[in-house]
Amino acid sequence: MSIQRRRTRSPRGSGELLADEIIDAATDLLLDEKEAAAVSIRAVATRVGVTPPSIYLHFADKDALLDAVCARYFGQLDEQMARAEAGLDDPLERALSLGMSYIRFALDTPVLYRQAFARITADNLSKVDEILAASAFVHFSRTVGELAEAGMFPASQVADIVLEWWSAAHGIASLMISKPSLNWGDDLARAETMLRSVCLGRVVMGVAECREPDALRGFLARLRDS
Amino acid sequence: MSIQRRRTRSPRGSGELLADEIIDAATDLLLDEKEAAAVSIRAVATRVGVTPPSIYLHFADKDALLDAVCARYFGQLDEQMARAEAGLDDPLERALSLGMSYIRFALDTPVLYRQAFARITADNLSKVDEILAASAFVHFSRTVGELAEAGMFPASQVADIVLEWWSAAHGIASLMISKPSLNWGDDLARAETMLRSVCLGRVVMGVAECREPDALRGFLARLRDS
DNA sequence: TGTACATCAGTGAACGCGCGTTCACTGATGTAC
DNA sequence: TGTACATCAGTGAACGCGCGTTCACTGATGTAC
């Protein structure tokens, strides 16, 4: 009802100020609404308190705006994952913390998460995809690499395991988002059990070719602790 | 270019004939196009060789049509999973076969798969959701239940494990769909390793409270075989 | 300190488009006599 | 067997709508003199 107009216009040099507000507004729309289709140039403009043509002073077209929204979103994922790692020296602890952090992030922003994944298609792959590759993927990879060094599995499997754990975290989060009606119980407890189980599987799978069986037995014991 | 018109019109009683053709056309559109937005009443009508208003003789509105498309899709998933189970007496073999079948189905119809999951929202949950619950979910549940009987894990964990394995299959399939640029290699080999690893994890997790350690050791050995 | 001017962030009105949906209709089909 | 008629699957034209985007403009802001 209250269509609030922009009070003062931005000073000369600072076009990026409004650009940021526009990305904020589009992001807010995706957080509030249940459908990504609710994000229209007009809706964004109204939310910022500006007329539709103003958007085009800061973004070439709607696609460019949505790319910017995704980029910002993945940037925030990066920050959250960095926080999840902070202060955890033990790589196994860190791996679980990263996975849970990823799931929590997705569950906190379900529509955005889905939208961000849906946007990755052939033509804008280079833009958004590389940003994601530089956030979640990198965090997972580093930690999984350290686990390999600690003897949890052969270094040759690191790439496989990164994909596997990412798939697991993505699968848990997106099934929870898509089908909340299933009997998930306490969201995060169940999710953590699942992640532990996936880690366990890898440890056991590598047990035959392991160079440090004692270290492995240690991982097994720790993962089986609830 | 060739806008083909419907040759003959349906005989008196058989309105369902065109209804089926309409669902076919909408499904084909989702298989051909890369975006679900490409499915419009007009596009469907053109594909069938009929005028847009004809659609409304068979479906109340666009939503009802899309529900019917999803229902048919999940019906086909049901058939495919039934085929995947056929002739496999061993429940572990069957569980892996079901998982792989699910993943293959999703990869064969990526846009439809995404669309079908995206349609599950608060208001049409009852329609589409229950159909899915009666296909993939039931197949998984039955087989996981048999594995519990065989001593692979306690019966109390069956519900958890169904969700976990479904999450795993869904995660692998949908990450493959969303991010084909990742280094997946031979699609299905990697997917199968992942499923085996997830199964393994559960076995090991339950090892402490197991009533039949020998049976468990058997599952472990079989899952670790490539 | 005061005035004329260039800059440029944001506006208002309009465009063409494809959409979902409606409504009065048409004309082939099957039926009753 | 032949004709009049009711049925109803499908049509053609149109509706109102919200969309992304454009273009000529306005008027506050900072600058030069």
Side-chain angles (χ1 to χ4, degrees):
Chain A
M1 203 62 358
S2 66
I3 299 174
Q4 54 181 0
R5 290 276 154 213
R6 191 175 175 67
R7 311 277 153 70
T8 60
R9 85 175 185 190
S10 296
R12 277 300 176 86
S14 58
E16 288 177 16
L17 210 149
L18 180 53
D20 272 354
E21 284 183 54
I22 291 170
I23 297 176
D24 282 344
T27 302
D28 285 352
L29 274 173
L30 280 168
L31 290 174
D32 289 0
E33 305 290 336
K34 290 191 175 163
E35 294 197 28
V39 178
S40 68
I41 292 284
R42 283 168 157 85
V44 171
T46 302
R47 193 149 187 135
V48 178
V50 115
T51 57
S54 298
I55 307 290
Y56 294 89
L57 294 173
H58 303 92
F59 300 95
D61 52 22
K62 191 185 181 183
D63 234 50
L65 169 56
L66 290 179
D67 280 346
V69 170
C70 287
R72 155 105 119 235
Y73 179 70
F74 286 130
Q76 287 167 346
L77 171 58
D78 190 47
E79 288 169 21
Q80 173 148 339
M81 292 189 82
R83 277 196 298 277
E85 283 184 318
L88 298 181
D89 292 333
D90 179 68
L92 183 56
E93 216 175 314
R94 212 189 308 146
L96 289 170
S97 174
L98 278 178
M100 292 307 296
S101 171
Y102 183 94
I103 292 173
R104 224 178 293 118
F105 189 75
L107 291 179
D108 283 347
T109 57
V111 180
L112 252 174
Y113 183 79
R114 186 133 73 182
Q115 158 78 6
F117 266 82
R119 276 196 70 66
I120 299 163
T121 50
D123 40 326
N124 68 342
L125 184 144
S126 51
K127 303 175 210 163
V128 177
D129 217 15
E130 283 178 3
I131 292 166
L132 176 54
S135 61
F137 195 69
V138 164
H139 287 283
F140 275 126
S141 296
R142 194 187 319 128
T143 297
V144 172
E146 286 178 37
L147 282 170
E149 280 172 29
M152 188 159 163
F153 31 68
S156 62
Q157 287 183 7
V158 167
D160 291 33
I161 291 169
V162 169
L163 282 183
E164 179 174 317
W165 289 2
W166 189 2
S167 293
H170 172 69
I172 293 166
S174 65
L175 203 60
M176 278 179 158
I177 290 171
S178 288
K179 307 191 76 54
S181 63
L182 291 177
N183 177 32
W184 294 102
D186 177 347
D187 284 0
L188 298 183
R190 164 121 354 150
E192 181 158 357
T193 306
M194 290 186 181
L195 286 184
R196 278 176 182 278
S197 163
V198 171
C199 295
L200 259 179
R202 267 298 164 178
V203 173
V204 176
M205 191 161 263
V207 99
E209 40 195 313
C210 183
R211 55 187 163 90
E212 295 180 66
D214 283 345
L216 245 183
R217 233 168 276 132
F219 282 123
L220 275 173
R222 291 175 56 205
L223 281 165
R224 280 181 36 216
D225 289 352
S226 74
Chain B
M1 203 59 5
S2 66
I3 298 174
Q4 53 181 3
R5 289 276 157 212
R6 190 175 177 67
R7 311 276 152 74
T8 59
R9 87 175 181 188
S10 296
R12 275 300 175 85
S14 59
E16 289 178 14
L17 210 149
L18 180 52
D20 272 355
E21 284 182 55
I22 291 170
I23 297 177
D24 281 344
T27 302
D28 286 351
L29 274 173
L30 281 168
L31 289 174
D32 289 0
E33 305 289 336
K34 290 190 174 162
E35 293 197 27
V39 178
S40 68
I41 292 284
R42 283 167 157 86
V44 171
T46 301
R47 194 149 186 136
V48 178
V50 115
T51 58
S54 297
I55 307 291
Y56 293 90
L57 294 174
H58 302 92
F59 299 95
D61 52 21
K62 191 185 182 184
D63 234 49
L65 169 55
L66 290 179
D67 281 346
V69 170
C70 287
R72 154 106 118 234
Y73 179 70
F74 285 131
Q76 287 165 347
L77 171 58
D78 190 47
E79 288 169 22
Q80 173 148 340
M81 292 190 80
R83 276 196 298 276
E85 282 184 317
L88 298 181
D89 291 334
D90 179 68
L92 182 56
E93 215 174 314
R94 212 186 311 146
L96 289 170
S97 174
L98 277 178
M100 292 307 296
S101 171
Y102 183 95
I103 291 173
R104 225 178 293 119
F105 189 75
L107 291 179
D108 284 346
T109 56
V111 180
L112 251 173
Y113 184 79
R114 187 134 73 183
Q115 158 77 5
F117 265 82
R119 277 196 70 67
I120 299 163
T121 50
D123 39 328
N124 68 343
L125 183 143
S126 51
K127 304 174 210 163
V128 176
D129 217 14
E130 284 179 3
I131 293 166
L132 175 54
S135 60
F137 194 70
V138 164
H139 287 283
F140 273 126
S141 296
R142 193 187 319 129
T143 297
V144 171
E146 287 177 37
L147 282 171
E149 281 171 29
M152 188 160 163
F153 31 68
S156 62
Q157 287 182 7
V158 168
D160 290 32
I161 291 169
V162 169
L163 281 184
E164 178 175 316
W165 289 2
W166 188 3
S167 293
H170 172 69
I172 293 166
S174 65
L175 203 60
M176 278 178 158
I177 290 171
S178 287
K179 308 190 76 54
S181 63
L182 291 177
N183 177 31
W184 294 102
D186 176 348
D187 286 359
L188 298 183
R190 165 123 351 153
E192 181 158 358
T193 307
M194 290 186 181
L195 286 183
R196 278 177 182 277
S197 163
V198 170
C199 294
L200 259 179
R202 266 298 163 178
V203 174
V204 175
M205 192 160 261
V207 100
E209 42 195 311
C210 184
R211 57 189 160 91
E212 296 180 63
D214 283 346
L216 245 182
R217 233 167 276 132
F219 282 122
L220 275 174
R222 290 175 57 205
L223 281 166
R224 278 181 36 216
D225 288 352
S226 76

